[in-house]
């Protein structure tokens, strides 16, 4: 088709996709083209603005590495990650709610026995975490795989330190025969997402802050149950209502009591004040 204009270009592009053998991909690409073109028409996008958008996306991609995923940050801060997650995680009442994955998960994190200190030297006040993993029927789930990760007291994940030669404040544990888990780590604190790149500049331009409320990340997997990706948030954090990535759910907010130096939950003697978190997870049965 020749001599295309603003009124005919959309249908011309869609016609080129008509023979696509993958039906799902055709559906996605058709909708993508229609919405992109509708957006450009609605805002009357100029060539200068289009080029600025291309530059922004180029910079976002150039900053991505095996230690930093700027595109996930972009998706998170625009609410797209939460939208996609929510669409895919409809759960019955009583199940622990899911939330965003975030850009700092590491596959094959160190395996620790229950009760171990997974902080592995990360900076922060001691925190003892415990609870139970159960199914929706209330039965404990034995040997569930639990991956945990968090930022240190300075607001950085281990992978953000270029010279760190070991993983810290993250690990993989397994529940015991009664579905119980417990480990030692460090106190979670609020922190800003990386904002020295294009996503940070976008937030500043939009008049938004980059802060996330204090939380622990969890990914829990067990046979016969859906994988749960979630956080547990620290009650009272000033950013609970304005999380930069829209990840907070009220059911995921918990108390983290402070205790004076002395006997700790694991039987050790802690020579400084410490915190505790007790939280139970309820997994949804695998859909058939």
């Amino acid at each position: 088709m020749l001599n295309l204009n603003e009124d005919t270009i959309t249908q011309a592009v869609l016609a080129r996709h008509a023979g696509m053998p993958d039906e799902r991909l055709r559906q996605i690409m058709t909708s993508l083209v229609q919405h992109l073109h509708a957006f450009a028409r609605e805002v009357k996008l100029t060539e200068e603005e289009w080029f600025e958008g291309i530059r922004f996306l180029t910079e976002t991609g150039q900053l991505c590495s095996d230690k930093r995923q700027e595109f996930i940050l972009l998706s998170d801060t625009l609410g797209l990650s939460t939208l996609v997650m929510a669409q895919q995680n409809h759960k019955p009442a009583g199940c622990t709610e899911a939330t965003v994955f975030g850009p700092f998960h590491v596959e094959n994190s160190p395996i620790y026995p229950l009760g171990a200190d997974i902080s592995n030297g990360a900076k922060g006040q001691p925190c003892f975490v415990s609870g139970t993993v159960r199914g929706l029927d209330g039965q404990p789930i034995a040997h569930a795989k639990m991956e945990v990760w968090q930022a240190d007291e300075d607001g950085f994940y281990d992978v953000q330190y270029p010279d760190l030669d070991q993983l810290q404040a993250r690990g993989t544990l397994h529940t015991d025969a009664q579905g119980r888990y417990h480990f030692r780590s460090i106190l979670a604190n609020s922190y800003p997402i990386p904002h020295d790149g294009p996503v940070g500049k976008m937030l500043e331009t939009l008049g938004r802050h980059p802060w996330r409320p204090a939380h622990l990340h969890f990914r829990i997997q067990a046979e016969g149950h859906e994988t749960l990706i979630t956080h547990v948030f620290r009650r009272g954090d000033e950013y609970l209502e304005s999380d930069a990535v829209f990840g907070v759910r009220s059911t995921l907010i918990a108390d983290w009591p402070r205790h004076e130096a002395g006997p700790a939950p694991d039987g050790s003697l802690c020579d400084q004040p410490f915190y505790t978190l007790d939280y139970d997870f309820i997994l949804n049965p695998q859909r058939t």
Side-chain angles (χ1 to χ4, degrees):
M1 184 181 295
L2 301 178
N3 304 320
L4 295 170
N5 58 38
E6 62 186 284
D7 298 317
T8 60
I9 180 60
T10 304
Q11 289 306 313
V13 175
L14 296 181
R16 298 283 178 90
H17 298 168
M20 192 183 305
D22 187 323
E23 183 176 347
R24 175 58 176 167
L25 181 58
R26 183 169 65 252
Q27 178 189 18
I28 291 172
M29 289 304 299
T30 296
S31 185
L32 176 65
V33 169
Q34 289 173 329
H35 283 80
L36 277 176
H37 288 208
F39 158 74
R41 290 188 178 97
E42 179 181 339
V43 302
K44 300 189 185 311
L45 195 67
T46 68
E47 289 183 88
E48 291 78 10
E49 292 163 341
W50 170 84
F51 183 80
E52 185 65 19
I54 295 297
R55 184 196 59 76
F56 171 78
L57 293 175
T58 299
E59 289 183 0
T60 299
Q62 289 171 336
L63 201 55
C64 292
S65 69
D66 60 342
K67 296 183 180 299
R68 177 166 179 168
Q69 234 304 343
E70 192 78 359
F71 266 115
I72 290 182
L73 282 180
L74 178 59
S75 176
D76 288 351
T77 55
L78 293 179
L80 180 60
S81 301
T82 289
L83 172 59
V84 173
M85 176 278 301
Q87 290 181 144
Q88 294 295 304
N89 285 276
H90 296 289
K91 300 179 185 296
C95 289
T96 302
E97 291 189 89
T99 191
V100 293
F101 199 33
F104 295 116
H105 175 263
V106 172
E107 295 289 349
N108 302 314
S109 62
I111 298 175
Y112 290 97
L114 290 176
D117 183 355
I118 72 168
S119 66
N120 197 24
K123 292 186 291 184
Q125 296 173 275
C127 183
F128 296 85
V129 185
S130 61
T132 303
V133 179
R134 296 187 175 91
L136 191 57
D137 59 3
Q139 294 300 308
I141 301 177
H143 314 304
K145 179 182 178 181
M146 173 179 285
E147 296 172 78
V148 188
W149 65 103
Q150 69 175 106
D152 64 17
E153 70 176 7
D154 291 333
F156 295 105
Y157 289 81
D158 48 6
V159 294
Q160 293 179 272
Y161 290 104
D163 300 322
L164 191 64
D165 59 2
Q166 61 182 357
L167 295 176
Q168 295 182 328
R170 73 171 70 238
T172 299
L173 309 101
H174 293 81
T175 60
D176 66 14
Q178 287 73 48
R180 298 173 301 194
Y181 72 91
H182 60 103
F183 61 90
R184 175 173 172 166
S185 189
I186 53 175
L187 179 66
N189 289 290
S190 53
Y191 65 86
I193 62 171
H195 56 287
D196 57 340
V199 172
K201 293 176 184 176
M202 178 193 75
L203 292 178
E204 183 179 7
T205 301
L206 294 173
R208 291 174 52 186
H209 70 70
W211 287 84
R212 296 218 64 202
H215 60 275
L216 278 177
H217 292 263
F218 290 87
R219 181 166 75 171
I220 304 174
Q221 299 170 290
E223 185 176 356
H225 295 81
E226 293 179 356
T227 296
L228 174 66
I229 295 171
T230 195
H231 304 0
V232 179
F233 295 91
R234 188 174 161 196
R235 194 181 308 280
D237 192 285
E238 64 179 306
Y239 298 108
L240 288 172
E241 296 285 349
S242 61
D243 180 11
V245 307
F246 307 98
V248 179
R249 303 289 176 271
S250 60
T251 60
L252 302 178
I253 300 172
D255 294 316
W256 304 51
R258 181 182 184 275
H259 308 268
E260 295 300 330
D266 64 356
S268 65
L269 191 64
C270 204
D271 61 1
Q272 59 180 303
F274 61 89
Y275 291 78
T276 56
L277 167 65
D278 187 76
Y279 195 87
D280 295 339
F281 297 93
I282 309 297
L283 303 189
N284 196 29
Q286 189 74 49
R287 300 172 188 175
T288 57

